[in-house]
Amino acid sequence: MSTPSLRAVVVLIAVSAPLALGLETLLRKLVFLPLVGAELREIREFYLPELTDELREAMLTRAAWVLVGVTVLAGIVGVVALRRSARRQRTASAIRDRVFLLSSIPQVPAILATLCFAFGSQLSPVLVSMAISTAFVLAQGIVGERMLAGIDGSPRAC
């Protein structure tokens, strides 16, 4: 059985966060809200009457925009960490492992942004965070491919 190429796996990793956002939104709209939506509103009104829907949306949207900045920083850290750690690796499998491990760094704040959306923020900062996260994961894949090509001096599609 052949192993999947680095490019294919990185693309799968890159689209996993946007797919998770879509699946979470679908499940929340079709399953969760119809089952417990009314009770959840009553609980919120009882325990936090000062937290209106508008205030909650504004706070969560602000938090999601902050997470956009965190996603950019995490993406830069992820690429730099990959370059530094992969330089010390001498085998293709070790470099691939580093790419797979460190590609989660830019995804963490993007996933946190999806939680903001799940609790009531606007969608736009979440989509921006997802796009940035996906771009940085793909950039890490490019760095990983270049590192693999540098092992023996010949370009590879692995």
Side-chain angles (χ1 to χ4, degrees):
M1 181 175 185
S2 67
T3 61
S5 71
L6 178 66
R7 188 174 294 166
V9 176
V10 167
V11 168
L12 182 62
I13 292 169
V15 299
S16 65
L19 286 175
L21 171 64
L23 182 62
E24 181 276 327
T25 302
L26 186 69
L27 287 173
R28 184 170 35 88
K29 299 260 185 205
L30 296 179
V31 177
F32 184 72
L33 286 179
L35 289 176
V36 296
E39 290 84 7
L40 190 60
R41 180 173 290 284
E42 285 180 24
I43 291 170
R44 269 195 215 127
E45 288 173 1
F46 181 76
Y47 287 110
L48 296 166
E50 67 277 357
L51 189 61
T52 63
D53 288 343
E54 295 81 19
L55 181 60
R56 181 173 42 89
E57 179 182 341
M59 288 172 36
L60 288 167
T61 301
R62 198 170 314 124
W65 280 116
V66 167
L67 286 168
V68 168
V70 173
T71 303
V72 170
L73 291 175
I76 293 167
V77 167
V79 170
V80 169
L82 177 62
R83 283 185 176 171
R84 287 190 177 169
S85 69
R87 280 188 198 139
R88 291 179 245 137
Q89 306 303 319
R90 298 289 177 226
T91 65
S93 64
I95 291 173
R96 282 189 200 100
D97 291 346
R98 293 288 181 198
V99 171
F100 299 153
L101 176 67
L102 296 175
S103 65
S104 64
I105 293 174
Q107 288 185 320
V108 170
I111 296 296
L112 292 175
T114 65
L115 292 176
C116 290
F117 177 65
F119 290 111
S121 85
Q122 293 176 0
L123 183 59
S124 54
V126 177
L127 293 177
V128 170
S129 188
M130 283 291 158
I132 292 168
S133 169
T134 301
F136 273 112
V137 170
L138 294 174
Q140 286 177 310
I142 291 168
V143 169
E145 281 191 342
R146 288 182 181 161
M147 295 289 187
L148 286 174
I151 288 177
D152 63 357
S154 62
R156 299 168 136 179
C158 294

